[in-house]
Amino acid sequence: MCGRYTFTAPAPVVEARFEATMPADAAPTFNAAPSQRLPIITNVEPGKVQLFQWGLLPAWVKDAQKANKPINARAETLTEKPSFRQLLQRRRCLVLADSFYEWERPAAGSKGPKIPHRIMLRSEQPFALAGLWDEWVNRETGEVHPTFTIITTEPNELMTGIHDRMPVILPGREAELQWLDDGGAAKTQLLRPYHALDMKQYTVGSQVNSPGNNDSACAAPFTWS
């Protein structure tokens, strides 16, 4: 599962790295959480960063209030579920990040708290998570609600001791362009665990547990006793 992440890179860095213009209202986030509007790049407009709500609301849903809004989609079953299979074919996106959080469960029999970890590239540079997006239209008002979900895969060696899932980090610009390209090879070949040796992690404090907290303290190293 991927339920929180960060994206704090300055706009000039983002625009150079992803070859896309940033919206004026995009703000850094140290604790991106579901339901928030967050920066993504779609296959339809690859030269533009847009703010979509995290939590997928497919176009075919009739009742938005009652609908499940998945924040993650399992890479292994994308082609088995009709809603995800269609989006894999026509609505893919890059979810922009520079780290993500995951909570380590206490050892069996222990009553200790779940310990949050911050995971990033060794280079500490921004990266793109593989995602799917869609647009739901309110039939009464005509208002369009663009949303997205993050694709997850099995853990690599770094993540194994923390959690049994990890988000799909696309390995560089070529893979990102392949993911956005409507042609080319099967997209599922890109949905693999990232190389563990190119990543690092450290524990952070309990501030990140609440989506109401969104400052640098969320990402600060913290040693749990």
Side-chain angles (χ1 to χ4, degrees):
M1 178 175 177
C2 176
R4 300 284 176 76
Y5 63 93
T6 72
F7 189 54
T8 61
V13 173
V14 177
E15 293 180 337
R17 168 64 178 79
F18 296 104
E19 302 174 293
T21 57
M22 281 281 282
D25 57 343
T29 176
F30 288 91
N31 197 8
S35 81
Q36 295 176 359
R37 294 174 67 244
L38 298 162
I40 74 165
I41 298 173
T42 72
N43 60 310
V44 173
E45 296 188 82
K48 181 180 180 181
V49 178
Q50 301 180 74
L51 300 179
F52 282 24
Q53 186 174 357
W54 187 11
L56 187 70
L57 184 60
W60 50 265
V61 165
K62 293 182 178 180
D63 190 336
Q65 296 298 321
K66 297 181 179 180
N68 180 35
K69 302 177 182 67
I71 63 170
N72 293 157
R74 295 176 66 93
E76 300 89 337
T77 58
L78 285 182
T79 60
E80 299 173 10
K81 298 183 178 181
S83 57
F84 289 152
R85 184 169 62 243
Q86 293 177 12
L87 297 181
L88 180 62
Q89 294 171 351
R90 61 188 180 87
R91 292 198 162 177
R92 299 169 307 282
C93 65
L94 307 179
V95 180
L96 309 188
D98 45 38
S99 74
F100 63 93
Y101 299 107
E102 196 53 83
W103 280 256
E104 178 186 357
R105 296 186 178 92
S110 171
K111 296 183 180 180
K114 292 183 179 180
I115 298 177
H117 293 246
R118 187 187 184 201
I119 302 103
M120 65 187 76
L121 303 188
R122 284 197 175 275
S123 65
E124 300 188 7
Q125 294 300 303
F127 53 82
L129 305 175
L132 303 173
W133 65 280
D134 207 351
E135 291 179 329
W136 183 82
V137 180
N138 187 316
R139 292 178 176 83
E140 296 181 359
T141 65
E143 184 179 4
V144 178
H145 296 267
T147 63
F148 73 92
T149 189
I150 294 172
I151 299 174
T152 66
T153 186
E154 60 187 17
N156 60 19
E157 293 87 347
L158 178 75
M159 290 296 301
T160 299
I162 302 173
H163 202 271
D164 58 3
R165 302 293 294 174
M166 69 179 292
V168 173
I169 301 174
L170 293 167
R173 191 62 184 148
E174 181 178 351
E176 293 164 7
L177 294 175
Q178 289 178 11
W179 179 248
L180 293 180
D181 185 4
D182 286 332
K187 305 305 178 187
T188 52
Q189 295 178 2
L190 299 170
L191 306 179
R192 301 172 180 174
Y194 198 82
H195 294 297
L197 293 178
D198 294 330
M199 300 177 68
K200 63 181 181 179
Q201 64 83 25
Y202 58 82
T203 55
V204 297
S206 59
Q207 294 95 327
V208 74
N209 292 349
S210 171
N213 298 325
N214 190 0
D215 56 33
S216 59
C218 294
F222 180 85
T223 302
W224 291 75
S225 58

